[in-house]
Each structure stands twice: as C-alpha cells, then as structure tokens.
C-alpha cells in the first residue's frame, strides 16, 4: 500500500503524474506557466486553450502538448471529461519544444484509461513506472501539428470562424459570407490562407470533424450528427468522416 498522498494541483511530477477530472461548462482556468511539460487530452467534449496568445481547440483524439514554462489558460464551454499528464523537465528533452496538437495513439489512450480506472495519479510500482515511460515515448512519437483547428483574431476572419463554431452545420459559401460582411471572397480566402494556413473549405471540414467527434463521444446517432452538421444524408457525412479519419463513425464509437 502506497504511503504517498495523491498528487495535488501544483505539485511537481516525479517523474510523471496524472489527473482525470470532470469539469462543468463555464469553468475557466487562469493563465499560468509551470516548470514541467503537460499533455492535455479531452476524453469527451472540447476545451479551448489560450497558449501564449494563440487559441487552440482540444477535441477528443487530439491532445495539446505544452513544453515547460509555456504560458496557458483554458475555458470550457460544455461539460467535459479531461485527462492531463505532467512530465518533469528532464524527460521533456526529446518531446516537442513548442506547443503542438498531437494525434494520440490507442496505446496512449489505453494507458491513461488504465491509470484513471485504478486511480493512479503518481506511478510508484515498477509496472506503473514502465507504463509511464511508454506513455512518454508515445508523446514523442505522436504525429504533430501546430494546431488542428487554428483560430484567428483577425477582425474579419475571427467573427466568421466564431459564427461557424456556434453553428457547424451552416452551409453558406465563402462568397455568401463575404457579401454579408461587406468584403470580397478573395479577401476572405487570402486571410484564411495567411492566418490559418488552410483554405476556408478545409478549415470548415476540420470543424465538422471536431464537432462530430464530440457528438460521437456523447452517443448521438449518426443520422442526427449528419443533420446537425448540414449534410443532406448520413452517407455524405460518413464519407467525409472516413476520408479524414480512415474509419467510420460507428467504428470510432
């Protein structure tokens, strides 16, 4: 039986520690930085981060990696179940050196689920320490990008992206949005590429996927998800989902 107390928020990892918590809509985490690395993973729901002035979304199946001393805050719009991994600085040398969105493996998720089921916050046994090392290796190997769904503070683009986040099923074309906003399609298209590094249509596809992942995790039927995301039928939605994930919504569930 361990004599070590469970990890308390703010305690340094030694060498790795874990938290899995349920958070209510409206929860806000003030900005802070810490001398260790941090992996944040939404089991269900989506969390929005402000990381060094940049906005990141953290949906299921994608994790946010924060290197040591990264200033960050977060806000939760809907109920959320969330896992966090804290990694001491010495183990971060071979991990990403800037904030990144990681596509996490089934193995990493399984280790986190196992630790949560057994209420392991600080691994102590030889077996759990080996699992923690495998988890760190999985962070190192995970495919990464700066942000899966980048957001923008641009005075034209920002309100457009916010409107689409509020209604992912909106089917207005970029030309229609430009007319509504008193600008040109070319201007909006250029700002998408310059600010997001994506075309408008590619960004909107990613938004639909992020939204779909949350609804799948919540147990919504596929036909209802398709309708809410603006698809005329479930087959079109399934085709999009398979193209972006390599699997079907049913298999993902």
């Amino acid at each position: 039986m361990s004599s070590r107390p469970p990890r308390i928020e703010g305690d340094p990892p030694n060498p790795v520690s874990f938290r899995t918590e349920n958070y209510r809509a409206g929860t806000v985490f003030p900005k802070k930085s810490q001398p260790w690395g941090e992996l944040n993973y939404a089991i269900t729901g989506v969390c929005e981060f402000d990381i060094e002035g940049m906005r990141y979304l953290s949906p299921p199946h994608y994790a946010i990696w924060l290197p040591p001393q990264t200033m960050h805050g977060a806000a939760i719009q809907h109920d959320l179940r969330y896992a966090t991994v804290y990694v001491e600085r010495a183990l971060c040398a071979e991990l990403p050196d800037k904030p990144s969105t990681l596509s996490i493996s089934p193995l990493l998720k399984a280790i986190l689920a196992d630790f949560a089921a057994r209420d392991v916050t600080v691994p102590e046994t030889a077996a759990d320490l080996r699992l923690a090392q495998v988890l760190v290796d999985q962070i190192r190997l995970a495919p990464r990008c700066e942000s899966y769904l980048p957001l923008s503070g641009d005075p034209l683009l920002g309100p457009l992206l916010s409107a689409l986040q509020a209604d992912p099923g909106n089917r207005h074309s970029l030309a229609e949005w430009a007319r509504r906003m008193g600008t040109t399609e070319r201007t909006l298209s250029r700002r998408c590429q310059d600010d997001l590094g994506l075309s408008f249509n590619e960004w909107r596809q990613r938004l639909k996927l992020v939204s779909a992942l949350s609804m799948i995790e919540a147990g919504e039927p596929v036909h209802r998800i398709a309708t809410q995301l603006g698809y005329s039928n479930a087959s079109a939605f399934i085709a999009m989902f398979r193209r972006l994930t390599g699997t079907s919504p049913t298999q993902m569930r």
Side-chain angles (χ1 to χ4, degrees):
M1 194 74 170
S2 171
S3 59
R4 183 188 298 183
R7 184 183 192 277
I8 299 173
E9 180 68 22
D11 286 350
N14 185 26
V16 181
S17 56
F18 308 89
R19 285 171 62 91
T20 301
E21 303 281 355
N22 295 317
Y23 297 105
R24 302 295 297 176
T27 302
V28 174
F29 298 92
K31 290 183 181 179
K32 64 179 179 180
S33 65
Q34 299 169 138
W36 48 78
E38 187 176 311
L39 184 81
N40 296 278
Y41 159 52
I43 301 169
T44 60
V46 176
C47 186
E48 182 176 318
F49 278 83
D50 180 330
I51 302 173
E52 297 183 336
M54 299 289 291
R55 294 170 68 196
Y56 286 69
L57 287 185
S58 173
H61 310 292
Y62 293 90
I64 302 292
W65 166 253
L66 302 172
Q69 303 297 353
T70 300
M71 183 64 67
H72 64 283
I76 296 169
Q77 304 300 327
H78 305 283
D79 290 354
L80 179 70
R81 183 164 175 78
Y82 215 75
T84 306
V85 181
Y86 305 92
V87 184
E88 69 177 9
R89 182 187 289 271
L91 291 179
C92 294
E94 295 185 358
L95 302 182
D97 60 0
K98 61 181 180 180
S100 304
T101 299
L102 306 182
S103 178
I104 58 177
S105 68
L107 178 56
L108 189 152
K109 288 190 285 186
I111 293 172
L112 289 177
D114 174 61
F115 282 159
R118 294 189 288 117
D119 198 25
V120 174
T121 57
V122 180
E124 294 183 324
T125 67
D128 283 347
L129 286 167
R130 286 194 297 269
L131 281 177
Q133 184 58 59
V134 170
L135 189 146
V136 172
D137 289 340
Q138 288 294 297
I139 297 174
R140 177 175 55 84
L141 296 170
R144 70 188 74 158
C145 57
E146 288 191 6
S147 174
Y148 181 75
L149 190 71
L151 300 173
S152 172
D154 180 89
L156 274 179
L157 199 54
L160 166 56
L161 302 185
S162 294
L164 289 173
Q165 283 181 268
D167 180 16
N170 184 292
R171 300 179 70 174
H172 291 312
S173 68
L174 188 60
E176 289 172 310
W177 278 108
R179 283 195 297 272
R180 286 178 164 214
M181 302 177 77
T183 186
T184 66
E185 181 180 2
R186 182 176 179 181
T187 296
L188 283 181
S189 178
R190 185 175 65 247
R191 293 199 185 190
C192 283
Q193 289 291 351
D194 291 347
D195 233 33
L196 307 177
L198 302 169
S199 71
F200 173 74
N201 286 333
E202 184 177 358
W203 188 92
R204 183 152 63 177
Q205 289 271 288
R206 291 190 179 194
L207 172 64
K208 289 179 184 291
L209 176 61
V210 167
S211 302
L213 289 170
S214 291
M215 287 188 272
I216 288 169
E217 295 282 349
E220 292 277 354
V222 170
H223 72 275
R224 187 179 302 166
I225 297 173
T227 300
Q228 292 183 16
L229 295 182
Y231 289 92
S232 56
N233 57 66
S235 296
F237 162 68
I238 292 169
M240 177 280 292
F241 194 92
R242 188 180 293 277
R243 184 171 68 254
L244 294 182
T245 67
T247 188
S248 73
T250 302
Q251 290 169 326
M252 180 69 78
R253 198 193 302 279

